[in-house]
Amino acid sequence: MTATTARRLTAVPTPARTAATQGAGAANVDVRLVARSIAQAAVEVLAGTRPVQQLARFLDADCYLALQHRAGLTRDFVVRSRAPQRIHLSPMVRSVRVCRISDEIHEATIVVAEDLRCRAIAMRLELSASAWQVTALEIG
């Protein structure tokens, strides 16, 4: 014995388009995705698996030089300690939180998990020349 029920034909509502999916301009890009990718790349630079030059267009001059300097110090420490090289596993971003200061300024906090520890990263992103750029970067 089979039972059939009347099926209501209702219009399926389409989700509203968010700023992350509208257009191709930098103002319409989801800042969380930008912060996530920059944070992961910065941790990879510190681990020595990514060249810092790949972040040049995303970081302002001060942040770029600070990250380059810190990566150099880390590299020198590894060479001096003569510790056995471990196979580097790619860091995994655990969470991203973004606070909108204004239309052109956002601040983000990111938690990145590595093999042995988690890192907290804070950054300030500013919209300049139609691209998001990091103007402050702190890596714990």
Side-chain angles (χ1 to χ4, degrees), residues 6-89:
R7 221 169 101 173
R8 271 190 280 183
L9 296 176
T10 59
V12 177
T14 58
R17 292 177 63 119
T18 62
T21 60
Q22 295 174 355
N28 297 328
V29 173
D30 191 352
V31 180
R32 289 173 297 176
L33 298 176
V34 174
R36 177 186 188 94
S37 63
I38 292 172
Q40 182 165 355
V43 172
E44 290 172 357
V45 166
L46 293 180
T49 59
R50 178 187 292 259
V52 71
Q53 292 83 3
Q54 289 183 358
L55 289 175
R57 71 181 196 145
F58 299 107
L59 304 175
D60 74 344
D62 293 336
C63 291
Y64 179 82
L65 290 174
L67 184 62
Q68 186 177 33
H69 178 70
R70 186 166 172 184
L73 291 174
T74 303
R75 193 173 41 251
D76 291 345
F77 175 76
V78 170
V79 169
R80 277 186 282 125
S81 68
R82 295 184 182 139
Q85 293 292 337
R86 292 181 300 135
I87 297 174
H88 175 73
L89 300 176

Side-chain angles (χ1 to χ4, degrees), residues 1-9:
M1 180 168 169
T2 61
T4 60
T5 58
R7 221 169 101 173
R8 271 190 280 183
L9 296 176

